[in-house]
Amino acid sequence: MAELSTIARPYAEALFASVRTEGTLEQWSALLSEMAQVAGHPEVSEVLTTPGITNQQRYELFTGLMKTPLTDKARNFLELLIDNGRLTVVPNIYEEFEALKHQLEGSELAQITSAFELSPEQLNKLVSALEKKFGLKLIPEVTVDAALIGGVRVMVGDQVLDTSVQAQLARMRDTLAA
């Protein structure tokens, strides 16, 4: 959702700028990931958005579900989100934060969907070829979707490379229908 990204981006950018100078990007990445999992859980989200509970109760509920102990900075960040009614946007803040981290590292997330399970050797070969094509260090996230019939679909940022049989059949169908 574009509007959630628009809301999340300033929080992610401010947090990123703050922790980047401290050298704690990896710790914050892990913490935001955990926070996103907690905030993204449907039952937790429902309770957190209930009008009858106070911000203090929201804070206590949220921190009670966290496994990682919060630093002072993390507590302040969480309180800021609660005070501004932005706790449900934490998963989007995490995504924006990760995008900034990857940009700094010169890397990008590659969402690879394959028709079949890829062996480590096949994945390494594919990622190596994709890194040359995109000119970035890629971090693969692989899923399997048998509906592709064969081949792979790769998303890197807003770019899509679809070599699946499903896509080839769709192109043929469109050509024949024209």
mmCIF file of all heavy atoms in Angstrom, residues 110-114 116-131 138-143 152 154:
data_model
loop_
_atom_site.group_PDB
_atom_site.id
_atom_site.type_symbol
_atom_site.label_atom_id
_atom_site.label_comp_id
_atom_site.label_asym_id
_atom_site.label_seq_id
_atom_site.Cartn_x
_atom_site.Cartn_y
_atom_site.Cartn_z
ATOM 1 N N ALA A 110 16.397 -9.623 -3.781
ATOM 2 C CA ALA A 110 15.916 -10.245 -5.017
ATOM 3 C C ALA A 110 14.882 -11.290 -4.638
ATOM 4 O O ALA A 110 15.213 -12.297 -4.014
ATOM 5 C CB ALA A 110 17.072 -10.891 -5.774
ATOM 6 N N GLN A 111 13.634 -11.032 -4.995
ATOM 7 C CA GLN A 111 12.567 -11.987 -4.730
ATOM 8 C C GLN A 111 12.497 -12.934 -5.927
ATOM 9 O O GLN A 111 12.064 -12.541 -7.006
ATOM 10 C CB GLN A 111 11.249 -11.272 -4.508
ATOM 11 C CG GLN A 111 11.272 -10.396 -3.272
ATOM 12 C CD GLN A 111 10.016 -9.571 -3.125
ATOM 13 O OE1 GLN A 111 9.464 -9.096 -4.107
ATOM 14 N NE2 GLN A 111 9.579 -9.395 -1.891
ATOM 15 N N ILE A 112 12.944 -14.151 -5.711
ATOM 16 C CA ILE A 112 13.017 -15.146 -6.778
ATOM 17 C C ILE A 112 11.901 -16.159 -6.570
ATOM 18 O O ILE A 112 11.827 -16.783 -5.515
ATOM 19 C CB ILE A 112 14.390 -15.851 -6.772
ATOM 20 C CG1 ILE A 112 15.516 -14.828 -6.948
ATOM 21 C CG2 ILE A 112 14.442 -16.936 -7.840
ATOM 22 C CD1 ILE A 112 16.907 -15.388 -6.722
ATOM 23 N N THR A 113 11.043 -16.285 -7.566
ATOM 24 C CA THR A 113 9.990 -17.295 -7.535
ATOM 25 C C THR A 113 10.318 -18.314 -8.606
ATOM 26 O O THR A 113 10.490 -17.957 -9.767
ATOM 27 C CB THR A 113 8.611 -16.650 -7.802
ATOM 28 O OG1 THR A 113 8.417 -15.573 -6.890
ATOM 29 C CG2 THR A 113 7.503 -17.667 -7.615
ATOM 30 N N SER A 114 10.416 -19.556 -8.190
ATOM 31 C CA SER A 114 10.794 -20.632 -9.103
ATOM 32 C C SER A 114 9.665 -21.655 -9.179
ATOM 33 O O SER A 114 8.919 -21.846 -8.222
ATOM 34 C CB SER A 114 12.070 -21.315 -8.595
ATOM 35 O OG SER A 114 12.375 -22.450 -9.374
ATOM 36 N N PHE A 116 10.234 -24.785 -9.416
ATOM 37 C CA PHE A 116 10.722 -25.943 -8.676
ATOM 38 C C PHE A 116 11.718 -25.484 -7.623
ATOM 39 O O PHE A 116 12.285 -24.393 -7.712
ATOM 40 C CB PHE A 116 11.414 -26.934 -9.618
ATOM 41 C CG PHE A 116 10.532 -27.395 -10.746
ATOM 42 C CD1 PHE A 116 10.645 -26.833 -12.013
ATOM 43 C CD2 PHE A 116 9.586 -28.375 -10.548
ATOM 44 C CE1 PHE A 116 9.827 -27.239 -13.056
ATOM 45 C CE2 PHE A 116 8.759 -28.795 -11.575
ATOM 46 C CZ PHE A 116 8.877 -28.228 -12.829
ATOM 47 N N GLU A 117 11.955 -26.343 -6.650
ATOM 48 C CA GLU A 117 12.953 -26.075 -5.609
ATOM 49 C C GLU A 117 14.331 -25.951 -6.264
ATOM 50 O O GLU A 117 14.701 -26.774 -7.097
ATOM 51 C CB GLU A 117 12.950 -27.224 -4.597
ATOM 52 C CG GLU A 117 13.759 -26.959 -3.363
ATOM 53 C CD GLU A 117 13.114 -25.958 -2.438
ATOM 54 O OE1 GLU A 117 11.878 -25.926 -2.348
ATOM 55 O OE2 GLU A 117 13.870 -25.188 -1.812
ATOM 56 N N LEU A 118 15.083 -24.919 -5.908
ATOM 57 C CA LEU A 118 16.422 -24.709 -6.458
ATOM 58 C C LEU A 118 17.463 -25.280 -5.509
ATOM 59 O O LEU A 118 17.387 -25.070 -4.302
ATOM 60 C CB LEU A 118 16.689 -23.214 -6.660
ATOM 61 C CG LEU A 118 15.828 -22.470 -7.667
ATOM 62 C CD1 LEU A 118 16.130 -20.978 -7.626
ATOM 63 C CD2 LEU A 118 16.060 -23.012 -9.064
ATOM 64 N N SER A 119 18.442 -25.984 -6.079
ATOM 65 C CA SER A 119 19.549 -26.482 -5.256
ATOM 66 C C SER A 119 20.448 -25.291 -4.918
ATOM 67 O O SER A 119 20.411 -24.262 -5.612
ATOM 68 C CB SER A 119 20.345 -27.539 -6.025
ATOM 69 O OG SER A 119 21.077 -26.933 -7.078
ATOM 70 N N PRO A 120 21.265 -25.416 -3.884
ATOM 71 C CA PRO A 120 22.182 -24.313 -3.557
ATOM 72 C C PRO A 120 23.081 -23.928 -4.737
ATOM 73 O O PRO A 120 23.363 -22.754 -4.952
ATOM 74 C CB PRO A 120 23.002 -24.864 -2.387
ATOM 75 C CG PRO A 120 22.113 -25.883 -1.756
ATOM 76 C CD PRO A 120 21.319 -26.477 -2.885
ATOM 77 N N GLU A 121 23.519 -24.920 -5.498
ATOM 78 C CA GLU A 121 24.373 -24.662 -6.660
ATOM 79 C C GLU A 121 23.619 -23.857 -7.726
ATOM 80 O O GLU A 121 24.148 -22.894 -8.289
ATOM 81 C CB GLU A 121 24.853 -25.991 -7.239
ATOM 82 C CG GLU A 121 25.752 -25.850 -8.443
ATOM 83 C CD GLU A 121 26.148 -27.220 -8.978
ATOM 84 O OE1 GLU A 121 26.920 -27.922 -8.293
ATOM 85 O OE2 GLU A 121 25.681 -27.567 -10.082
ATOM 86 N N GLN A 122 22.367 -24.252 -8.001
ATOM 87 C CA GLN A 122 21.547 -23.534 -8.985
ATOM 88 C C GLN A 122 21.281 -22.103 -8.518
ATOM 89 O O GLN A 122 21.347 -21.163 -9.314
ATOM 90 C CB GLN A 122 20.214 -24.253 -9.198
ATOM 91 C CG GLN A 122 20.332 -25.576 -9.908
ATOM 92 C CD GLN A 122 19.016 -26.335 -9.895
ATOM 93 O OE1 GLN A 122 18.295 -26.355 -8.896
ATOM 94 N NE2 GLN A 122 18.687 -26.954 -11.027
ATOM 95 N N LEU A 123 20.985 -21.954 -7.238
ATOM 96 C CA LEU A 123 20.706 -20.628 -6.693
ATOM 97 C C LEU A 123 21.933 -19.730 -6.795
ATOM 98 O O LEU A 123 21.832 -18.568 -7.207
ATOM 99 C CB LEU A 123 20.222 -20.726 -5.246
ATOM 100 C CG LEU A 123 19.878 -19.408 -4.565
ATOM 101 C CD1 LEU A 123 18.748 -18.686 -5.301
ATOM 102 C CD2 LEU A 123 19.498 -19.643 -3.113
ATOM 103 N N ASN A 124 23.097 -20.255 -6.438
ATOM 104 C CA ASN A 124 24.331 -19.466 -6.529
ATOM 105 C C ASN A 124 24.604 -19.027 -7.958
ATOM 106 O O ASN A 124 24.989 -17.878 -8.207
ATOM 107 C CB ASN A 124 25.521 -20.254 -5.981
ATOM 108 C CG ASN A 124 25.477 -20.393 -4.480
ATOM 109 O OD1 ASN A 124 24.806 -19.626 -3.794
ATOM 110 N ND2 ASN A 124 26.165 -21.394 -3.963
ATOM 111 N N LYS A 125 24.404 -19.931 -8.908
ATOM 112 C CA LYS A 125 24.629 -19.622 -10.318
ATOM 113 C C LYS A 125 23.639 -18.551 -10.797
ATOM 114 O O LYS A 125 24.022 -17.596 -11.479
ATOM 115 C CB LYS A 125 24.483 -20.891 -11.153
ATOM 116 C CG LYS A 125 24.877 -20.754 -12.588
ATOM 117 C CD LYS A 125 24.815 -22.110 -13.292
ATOM 118 C CE LYS A 125 25.149 -21.953 -14.759
ATOM 119 N NZ LYS A 125 25.082 -23.225 -15.491
ATOM 120 N N LEU A 126 22.381 -18.698 -10.405
ATOM 121 C CA LEU A 126 21.355 -17.723 -10.780
ATOM 122 C C LEU A 126 21.647 -16.357 -10.174
ATOM 123 O O LEU A 126 21.603 -15.333 -10.867
ATOM 124 C CB LEU A 126 19.967 -18.215 -10.343
ATOM 125 C CG LEU A 126 18.797 -17.272 -10.581
ATOM 126 C CD1 LEU A 126 18.616 -16.982 -12.069
ATOM 127 C CD2 LEU A 126 17.516 -17.844 -9.986
ATOM 128 N N VAL A 127 21.965 -16.325 -8.886
ATOM 129 C CA VAL A 127 22.251 -15.053 -8.213
ATOM 130 C C VAL A 127 23.470 -14.386 -8.824
ATOM 131 O O VAL A 127 23.483 -13.159 -9.029
ATOM 132 C CB VAL A 127 22.421 -15.258 -6.689
ATOM 133 C CG1 VAL A 127 22.964 -14.009 -6.015
ATOM 134 C CG2 VAL A 127 21.087 -15.653 -6.055
ATOM 135 N N SER A 128 24.485 -15.154 -9.148
ATOM 136 C CA SER A 128 25.686 -14.607 -9.776
ATOM 137 C C SER A 128 25.347 -13.940 -11.112
ATOM 138 O O SER A 128 25.795 -12.819 -11.395
ATOM 139 C CB SER A 128 26.714 -15.717 -9.979
ATOM 140 O OG SER A 128 27.844 -15.225 -10.637
ATOM 141 N N ALA A 129 24.536 -14.614 -11.933
ATOM 142 C CA ALA A 129 24.131 -14.043 -13.227
ATOM 143 C C ALA A 129 23.271 -12.795 -13.027
ATOM 144 O O ALA A 129 23.429 -11.802 -13.754
ATOM 145 C CB ALA A 129 23.373 -15.085 -14.042
ATOM 146 N N LEU A 130 22.394 -12.829 -12.037
ATOM 147 C CA LEU A 130 21.524 -11.671 -11.775
ATOM 148 C C LEU A 130 22.318 -10.475 -11.255
ATOM 149 O O LEU A 130 22.021 -9.328 -11.590
ATOM 150 C CB LEU A 130 20.418 -12.046 -10.781
ATOM 151 C CG LEU A 130 19.358 -13.016 -11.300
ATOM 152 C CD1 LEU A 130 18.485 -13.509 -10.153
ATOM 153 C CD2 LEU A 130 18.517 -12.363 -12.380
ATOM 154 N N GLU A 131 23.338 -10.744 -10.442
ATOM 155 C CA GLU A 131 24.179 -9.656 -9.935
ATOM 156 C C GLU A 131 24.900 -8.951 -11.069
ATOM 157 O O GLU A 131 25.041 -7.723 -11.064
ATOM 158 C CB GLU A 131 25.180 -10.190 -8.898
ATOM 159 C CG GLU A 131 24.544 -10.516 -7.577
ATOM 160 C CD GLU A 131 25.505 -11.117 -6.554
ATOM 161 O OE1 GLU A 131 26.620 -11.545 -6.932
ATOM 162 O OE2 GLU A 131 25.122 -11.150 -5.376
ATOM 163 N N LEU A 138 23.082 -8.959 -4.596
ATOM 164 C CA LEU A 138 21.694 -9.358 -4.364
ATOM 165 C C LEU A 138 21.572 -10.297 -3.171
ATOM 166 O O LEU A 138 22.417 -11.163 -2.949
ATOM 167 C CB LEU A 138 21.120 -10.038 -5.605
ATOM 168 C CG LEU A 138 21.024 -9.154 -6.849
ATOM 169 C CD1 LEU A 138 20.504 -9.949 -8.029
ATOM 170 C CD2 LEU A 138 20.146 -7.950 -6.594
ATOM 171 N N ILE A 139 20.506 -10.099 -2.432
ATOM 172 C CA ILE A 139 20.164 -10.950 -1.299
ATOM 173 C C ILE A 139 18.924 -11.738 -1.717
ATOM 174 O O ILE A 139 17.835 -11.171 -1.809
ATOM 175 C CB ILE A 139 19.891 -10.108 -0.046
ATOM 176 C CG1 ILE A 139 21.124 -9.266 0.283
ATOM 177 C CG2 ILE A 139 19.477 -10.986 1.121
ATOM 178 C CD1 ILE A 139 20.856 -8.109 1.197
ATOM 179 N N PRO A 140 19.088 -13.035 -2.017
ATOM 180 C CA PRO A 140 17.956 -13.802 -2.555
ATOM 181 C C PRO A 140 16.933 -14.189 -1.494
ATOM 182 O O PRO A 140 17.282 -14.544 -0.373
ATOM 183 C CB PRO A 140 18.622 -15.043 -3.145
ATOM 184 C CG PRO A 140 19.868 -15.209 -2.349
ATOM 185 C CD PRO A 140 20.309 -13.821 -1.950
ATOM 186 N N GLU A 141 15.685 -14.096 -1.887
ATOM 187 C CA GLU A 141 14.560 -14.591 -1.088
ATOM 188 C C GLU A 141 13.766 -15.479 -2.039
ATOM 189 O O GLU A 141 13.118 -14.983 -2.954
ATOM 190 C CB GLU A 141 13.721 -13.414 -0.593
ATOM 191 C CG GLU A 141 12.547 -13.805 0.267
ATOM 192 C CD GLU A 141 11.770 -12.599 0.729
ATOM 193 O OE1 GLU A 141 12.239 -11.907 1.651
ATOM 194 O OE2 GLU A 141 10.694 -12.331 0.151
ATOM 195 N N VAL A 142 13.847 -16.784 -1.838
ATOM 196 C CA VAL A 142 13.312 -17.742 -2.806
ATOM 197 C C VAL A 142 11.990 -18.326 -2.334
ATOM 198 O O VAL A 142 11.855 -18.719 -1.176
ATOM 199 C CB VAL A 142 14.323 -18.881 -3.055
ATOM 200 C CG1 VAL A 142 13.803 -19.857 -4.093
ATOM 201 C CG2 VAL A 142 15.673 -18.327 -3.488
ATOM 202 N N THR A 143 11.021 -18.365 -3.251
ATOM 203 C CA THR A 143 9.756 -19.061 -3.019
ATOM 204 C C THR A 143 9.507 -19.978 -4.211
ATOM 205 O O THR A 143 10.042 -19.760 -5.294
ATOM 206 C CB THR A 143 8.577 -18.085 -2.864
ATOM 207 O OG1 THR A 143 8.503 -17.258 -4.025
ATOM 208 C CG2 THR A 143 8.722 -17.215 -1.633
ATOM 209 N N VAL A 152 11.822 -19.049 -13.904
ATOM 210 C CA VAL A 152 11.800 -18.234 -12.690
ATOM 211 C C VAL A 152 11.246 -16.846 -12.989
ATOM 212 O O VAL A 152 11.274 -16.373 -14.130
ATOM 213 C CB VAL A 152 13.212 -18.072 -12.072
ATOM 214 C CG1 VAL A 152 13.759 -19.384 -11.579
ATOM 215 C CG2 VAL A 152 14.167 -17.416 -13.031
ATOM 216 N N VAL A 154 11.856 -13.030 -11.253
ATOM 217 C CA VAL A 154 12.729 -12.328 -10.325
ATOM 218 C C VAL A 154 12.281 -10.877 -10.215
ATOM 219 O O VAL A 154 12.079 -10.208 -11.227
ATOM 220 C CB VAL A 154 14.207 -12.368 -10.808
ATOM 221 C CG1 VAL A 154 15.110 -11.631 -9.841
ATOM 222 C CG2 VAL A 154 14.669 -13.799 -11.002
#
